[in-house]
């Protein structure tokens, strides 16, 4: 037998059919064309739930374009690092399991965080390596990613949920926020055009002004829909490493020897087995042949169809003898729900499929007592989507720093250049004592005193719609940034990150889910970095700290996050500085100091950080909710004004063609538009 990963996939699917009772259901929360797996029977805690299947590929041969961090299709690749397989004699490159257009039911598993703010997961994934028997009697080790009921029993009918890991979500959320933000801005500028017309013809617009809020607003009860995206992938084979492992004699892991491989770059919302498509084509051919011999309009598709498709493992829920399967159409790159009547097979529209499924999943949900949050802001989502698709405009993501006229200086901000320490007295005394004990020791992370001299950064309003932070922020909230006020040489200290310093534990116990956006200005100092900067601190007493720059801070609180991970065209990194925890000797306190140690920074150049994946995982969804709220308000105002304008046009007070032109207006973001609060 040849080592064929596609064949291995089929084997896996067959195994799953025999052992893993799962179903694919249409998700009510996520709307159309979004599928989730549910338990067809109860799973005890610790019990295996199933495993992933797909095309096993060498990582560097998987389509690079699809593996860009900000390409959502990247979410369908499960990383299998070579290091995780080394124990089995594997010597090849890193692998990925490519599940873009095929997979088991578990391919549809969504991340628990979308549904449950507590992040409570039902299932965990671990990597196992099992030998595949070859015809010559030898065996080939094949990695499988198994899932088991991790945290609690999974009741029949409950949705299976998995934690796909922050790495998987950070870049995705960031990209989503920017994309959705751009659509929100189009709605905003379209409203501006309608308002302008109304003002021109004396239609009262006072009541249509949007609420002006300087503070970001967030409600946990309204989460945006999970994304649905998919694409067909060119199937490519890998195997040299596996063959090497086979030659070295692969071992079967003892139970409990499984190596963890939890942080997949993956989120699954819709999909199907690739080979189901082949079966579908066979059915279609059968259907055509049958139609040719029997032209009766309600002719079935022949016997055996249902059981064939069940054998493929893609069965949906049962409802009065109706079964649904999910099929991937590589031509349209879409996933569709297809209904199969008992004893016959007939394609139905996605909507038909969805309504059948909704009925059954509703009952199951009640039975399982699972609670879900609303994921839509009625009306806004559709409007944002239609703005995105109608415009056809490519988002002009800047490859290089924006020119200086993209920013407008901001004056009159009250800035503070030193931290305010709000730690219990005893803990502050610890810092004092550690500073005294430090004596004359001067290390790399010890600095003499606070930074002096004129600030090297300037706060600016991001006026250009080319800037992702501008797209991301609702038009009625200022989007700011920090630029270099002077040339900053490579290696130079720039400023300290300043704010109110709390103990991390105290800070997070006070914050609620609604405060997520308030944490947008927080910088966490890990205890290990504190100890490195000041080895005389007491290891047992020193815990993580947070510098909260929400209300107290300097220019550094306005530094935006990088929007690309590649280098700039001029060869410089997008992220143009680093932050380090240092010990300020004269103050006997630590500080977070920013250094231009990655490159020299020109005057007027924007300072750019990389906030890290956890930041975007925590913030991304809240920012999207905020955007949706703004979009909804803008849409309502626009509709209200258009009604008034059309009524006025019917009375001849406003030219009807001008009203319709405003209604059809498609604002261009590819122009620098000064932000107007
Ligand atoms: C620390 S603040 C930076 C200053 C912020 N622009 C302001 O006006 O206050 C972080 C927030 O800025 C926005 N932001 C920063 N970098 C961004 C980026 N690359 N893309 C989109 N939004 C960004 C997000 O709203 C984020 O939560």
């Amino acid at each position: 037998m040849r080592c064929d990963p596609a064949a291995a996939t089929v084997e896996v699917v067959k195994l799953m059919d025999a052992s893993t009772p799962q179903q694919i259901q249409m998700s009510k929360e996520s709307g159309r064309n979004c599928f989730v797996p549910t338990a067809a029977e109860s799973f005890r805690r610790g019990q295996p739930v199933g495993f992933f299947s797909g095309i096993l590929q060498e990582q560097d041969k998987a389509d690079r374009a699809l593996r860009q961090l900000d390409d959502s299709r990247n979410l369908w690749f499960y990383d299998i690092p070579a290091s995780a397989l080394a124990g089995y004699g594997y010597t090849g490159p890193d692998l990925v399991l490519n599940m873009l257009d095929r997979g088991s039911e578990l391919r549809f598993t969504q991340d628990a965080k979308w549904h449950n703010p507590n992040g409570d997961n039902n299932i965990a994934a671990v990597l196992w390596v099992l030998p595949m028997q070859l015809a010559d009697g030898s065996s080939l080790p094949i990695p499988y990613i198994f899932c088991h009921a991790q945290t609690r029993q999974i009741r029949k009918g409950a949705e299976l949920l998995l934690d796909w890991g922050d790495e998987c979500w950070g870049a995705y959320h960031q990209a989503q926020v920017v994309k959705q933000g751009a659509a929100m801005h189009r709605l905003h500028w379209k409203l501006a055009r309608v308002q302008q017309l109304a003002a021109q013809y004396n239609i009262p617009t006072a009541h249509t002004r949007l609420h002006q809020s300087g503070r970001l607003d967030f409600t946990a009860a309204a989460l945006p829909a999970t994304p649905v995206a998919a694409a067909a992938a060119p199937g490519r084979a890998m195997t040299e490493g596996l063959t090497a492992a086979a030659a070295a004699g692969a071992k079967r892991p003892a139970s409990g020897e499984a190596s963890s491989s939890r942080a997949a770059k993956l989120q699954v919302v819709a999909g199907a087995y690739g080979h189901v498509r082949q079966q579908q084509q066979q059915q279609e051919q059968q259907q055509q042949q049958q139609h040719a011999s029997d032209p009766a309009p309600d002719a079935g598709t022949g016997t055996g169809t249902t059981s064939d498709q069940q054998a493929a493992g893609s069965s949906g829920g049962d409802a009065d003898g109706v079964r649904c399967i999910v099929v991937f159409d590589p031509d349209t790159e879409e996933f569709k729900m297809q209904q199969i009547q008992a004893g016959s097979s007939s394609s139905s529209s996605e909507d038909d499929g969805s309504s059948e499924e909704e009925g059954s999943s509703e009952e199951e949900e009640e039975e399982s007592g699972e609670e879900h949050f609303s994921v839509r802001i009625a009306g806004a989502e559709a409007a944002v989507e239609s703005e995105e698709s109608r415009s056809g405009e490519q988002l002009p993501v800047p490859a290089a720093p924006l020119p200086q006229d993209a920013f407008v200086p901001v004056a009159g901000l009250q800035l503070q250049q030193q931290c305010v320490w709000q730690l219990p007295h005893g803990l502050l005394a610890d810092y004092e004592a550690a500073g005294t004990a430090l004596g004359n020791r001067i290390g790399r992370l010890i600095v003499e005193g606070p930074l002096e001299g004129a600030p090297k950064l300037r706060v600016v309003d991001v006026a250009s719609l080319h800037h992702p932070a501008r797209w991301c922020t609702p038009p009625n909230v200022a989007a700011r940034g920090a630029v270099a006020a002077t040339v900053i040489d490579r290696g130079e200290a720039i400023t300290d990150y300043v704010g109110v310093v709390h103990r991390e534990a105290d800070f997070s116990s006070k914050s609620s889910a609604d405060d997520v956006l308030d944490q947008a200005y927080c910088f966490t100092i890990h205890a290990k970095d504190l100890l490195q900067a000041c080895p005389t601190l007491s290891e047992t007493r020193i815990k993580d700290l947070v510098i909260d720059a929400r209300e107290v801070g300097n220019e550094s609180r306005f530094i935006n996050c990088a929007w690309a991970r590649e280098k700039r065209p001029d060869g410089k990194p997008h992220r143009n500085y680093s932050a380090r925890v240092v010990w300020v000797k004269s103050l006997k306190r630590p500080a977070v100091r920013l250094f231009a140690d990655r490159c020299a920074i020109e005057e007027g150049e924007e300072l750019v950080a990389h906030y890290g994946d956890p930041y975007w995982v925590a913030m991304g969804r809240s920012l999207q909710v905020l955007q949706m709220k703004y979009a909804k308000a803008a849409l309502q105002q626009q509709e209200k004004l258009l009604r008034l304008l059309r009524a006025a046009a019917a009375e001849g007070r406003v030219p009807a063609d001008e009203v319709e032109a405003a209604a059809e207006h498609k604002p261009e973001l590819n122009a620098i538009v000064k932000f107007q609060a």
Side-chain angles (χ1 to χ4, degrees):
M1 189 173 148
R2 201 165 52 90
C3 176
D4 177 355
T9 305
V10 175
E11 286 303 314
V12 170
V13 172
K14 275 193 198 147
L15 264 167
M16 286 199 55
D17 288 341
S19 60
T20 57
Q22 301 150 21
Q23 290 177 330
I24 299 169
Q25 305 261 343
M26 196 69 127
S27 162
K28 280 193 298 179
E29 280 68 35
S30 306
R32 276 166 63 101
N33 221 6
C34 180
F35 307 106
V36 295
T38 56
E41 65 180 42
S42 291
F43 294 103
R44 287 186 318 279
R45 191 174 169 184
Q47 199 182 339
V49 169
F51 46 88
F52 294 114
S53 60
I55 304 173
L56 201 54
Q57 293 178 293
E58 288 177 10
Q59 206 170 85
D60 56 355
K61 286 202 182 147
D63 192 327
R64 280 193 179 276
L66 296 180
R67 304 230 58 216
Q68 291 293 323
L69 274 174
D70 55 359
D71 187 325
S72 58
R73 287 169 296 184
N74 171 55
L75 302 172
W76 274 267
F77 289 86
Y78 199 114
D79 287 333
I80 305 176
S83 57
L85 301 173
Y88 304 95
Y90 179 78
T91 53
D94 290 343
L95 303 177
V96 286
L97 188 63
N98 173 347
M99 297 189 271
L100 271 171
D101 69 344
R102 66 189 66 204
S104 66
E105 285 94 336
L106 290 177
R107 178 199 186 282
F108 299 84
T109 316
Q110 297 199 67
D111 194 309
K113 287 189 284 289
W114 280 103
H115 294 266
N116 184 340
N118 299 323
D120 190 15
N121 306 309
N122 285 345
I123 54 177
V126 289
L127 179 71
W128 280 54
V129 178
L130 296 177
M132 188 159 93
Q133 296 303 323
L134 302 184
D136 62 4
S138 62
S139 66
L140 192 64
I142 302 281
Y144 294 114
I145 297 146
F146 273 85
C147 293
H148 61 93
Q150 180 192 30
T151 49
R152 55 189 152 89
Q153 183 200 15
I154 301 172
R155 291 206 288 169
K156 181 180 172 187
E159 182 181 342
L160 302 173
L161 294 165
L162 186 67
D163 179 359
W164 291 111
D166 283 356
E167 196 194 341
C168 156
W169 285 110
Y172 176 77
H173 270 302
Q174 195 177 350
Q176 257 329 87
V177 156
V178 166
K179 200 164 146 238
Q180 186 175 290
M184 168 187 70
H185 277 274
R186 287 195 190 98
L187 278 172
H188 170 81
W189 290 107
K190 181 167 174 179
L191 172 64
R193 164 90 184 255
V194 175
Q195 280 174 327
Q196 198 182 19
L197 186 69
Q200 192 182 335
Y201 290 99
N202 296 324
I203 307 287
T205 59
H207 61 287
T208 64
R209 207 157 283 143
L210 290 175
H211 172 62
Q212 299 285 311
S213 155
R215 188 179 173 279
L216 304 182
D217 192 13
F218 169 66
T219 311
L223 307 179
T226 45
V228 177
R236 287 212 190 93
M238 69 82 230
T239 54
E240 277 156 30
L242 291 179
T243 315
K251 6 171 222 176
R252 175 189 280 273
S255 56
E257 202 191 311
S259 44
S260 171
S261 173
R262 234 166 81 117
K265 288 184 182 162
L266 184 82
Q267 194 254 357
V268 185
V269 284
Y273 303 109
H275 64 276
V276 171
R277 171 66 185 158
Q278 288 164 12
Q279 289 184 336
Q280 195 192 3
Q281 281 166 343
Q282 282 164 11
Q283 275 168 37
E284 283 163 7
Q285 279 167 6
Q286 278 175 14
Q287 242 172 352
Q288 281 162 5
Q289 285 162 5
Q290 234 174 351
H291 274 294
S293 59
D294 176 11
D298 58 349
T301 55
T303 54
T305 310
T306 306
S307 60
D308 280 354
Q309 278 162 334
Q310 283 168 356
S314 61
S315 56
D318 257 317
D320 299 333
V322 177
R323 291 196 73 81
C324 297
I325 63 161
V326 182
V327 290
F328 176 75
D329 182 343
D331 300 332
T332 59
E333 295 191 356
E334 276 181 2
F335 296 89
K336 293 190 172 128
M337 190 72 105
Q338 192 178 40
Q339 273 186 15
I340 311 157
Q341 299 290 344
S344 71
S345 168
S346 64
S347 285
S348 70
S349 73
E350 290 157 29
D351 289 342
D352 292 348
S354 120
S355 57
E356 285 294 343
E357 280 307 295
E358 285 210 353
S360 63
S361 73
E362 200 162 353
E363 281 162 28
E364 279 163 4
E365 196 179 289
E366 265 171 31
E367 189 195 319
S368 71
E370 291 281 325
E371 193 189 314
H372 292 296
F373 286 83
S374 156
V375 291
R376 280 167 174 243
I377 296 184
E381 194 172 75
V384 167
E385 260 170 34
S386 81
E387 278 304 315
E388 270 174 23
S389 56
R390 256 159 43 106
S391 108
E393 184 187 10
Q394 287 293 314
L395 289 183
V397 178
L402 290 175
Q404 300 205 10
D405 61 0
F407 305 106
V408 177
V410 178
L413 291 175
Q414 287 204 341
L415 301 175
Q416 166 146 345
Q417 294 299 345
Q418 280 191 34
C419 280
V420 176
W421 284 73
Q422 285 193 353
L423 292 188
H425 179 71
L427 284 180
L428 277 179
D430 281 352
Y431 283 91
E432 183 87 10
T436 308
L438 204 58
N440 288 326
R441 273 172 63 180
I442 308 275
R444 196 172 65 89
L445 301 172
I446 300 172
V447 295
E448 286 295 325
L451 275 179
E452 284 170 3
K456 293 178 188 163
L457 299 182
R458 211 175 32 224
V459 181
V460 287
D461 260 339
V462 179
S464 163
L465 278 184
H466 287 261
H467 197 300
R470 183 58 274 166
W471 293 331
C472 160
T473 312
N476 61 347
V477 178
R480 300 210 157 115
V483 300
T486 165
V487 173
I488 303 173
D489 291 332
R490 186 164 188 175
E492 217 180 297
I494 307 170
T495 187
D496 287 350
Y497 195 86
V498 162
V500 181
V501 184
H502 304 272
R503 231 173 16 175
E504 212 276 334
D506 302 338
F507 183 78
S508 27
S509 66
K510 277 194 217 123
S511 310
S512 70
D514 288 1
D515 292 333
V516 170
L517 287 173
D518 286 345
Q519 295 171 23
Y521 298 90
C522 286
F523 193 112
T524 303
I525 308 180
H526 297 289
K528 67 172 175 32
D529 295 328
L530 282 172
L531 288 166
Q532 227 194 332
C534 180
T536 50
L537 281 169
S538 155
E539 198 169 330
T540 48
R541 286 180 59 84
I542 294 307
K543 305 279 182 241
D544 293 355
L545 301 177
V546 168
I547 305 181
D548 177 10
R550 184 182 31 168
E551 281 163 5
V552 172
N554 64 9
E555 296 83 358
S556 61
R557 88 187 271 288
F558 296 99
I559 294 175
N560 287 313
C561 178
W563 47 89
R565 313 233 165 150
E566 314 276 299
K567 283 203 166 149
R568 297 174 355 191
D570 60 7
K572 281 186 175 183
H574 274 271
R575 174 185 165 191
N576 48 13
Y577 74 93
S578 301
R580 278 206 298 273
V581 178
V582 295
W583 184 264
V584 187
K585 239 179 114 192
S586 61
L587 296 179
K588 295 180 182 163
R589 294 274 194 282
V592 171
R593 190 150 292 179
L594 316 187
F595 293 91
D597 56 1
R598 303 172 75 87
C599 55
I601 301 171
E602 286 160 34
E603 184 181 343
E605 184 178 332
E606 184 179 7
L607 267 274
V608 180
H610 176 45
Y611 295 171
D613 291 321
Y615 181 93
W616 287 105
V617 173
M619 282 315 142
R621 202 171 49 174
S622 311
L623 286 168
Q624 286 181 58
V625 170
L626 187 72
Q627 294 170 334
M628 280 293 177
K629 282 186 170 177
Y630 185 89
K632 184 181 180 186
L635 190 72
Q636 282 174 346
Q637 309 291 13
Q638 179 194 304
E639 283 171 353
K640 204 186 275 181
L641 266 185
L642 280 172
R643 269 200 307 277
L644 291 174
L645 280 164
R646 286 189 174 121
E651 291 166 8
R653 290 189 285 124
V654 180
D657 57 341
E658 285 190 36
V659 177
E660 292 319 310
E664 289 305 312
H665 177 53
K666 291 176 193 165
E668 279 285 325
L669 289 187
N670 279 312
I672 294 183
V673 185
K674 190 176 177 312
F675 167 64
Q676 298 163 346

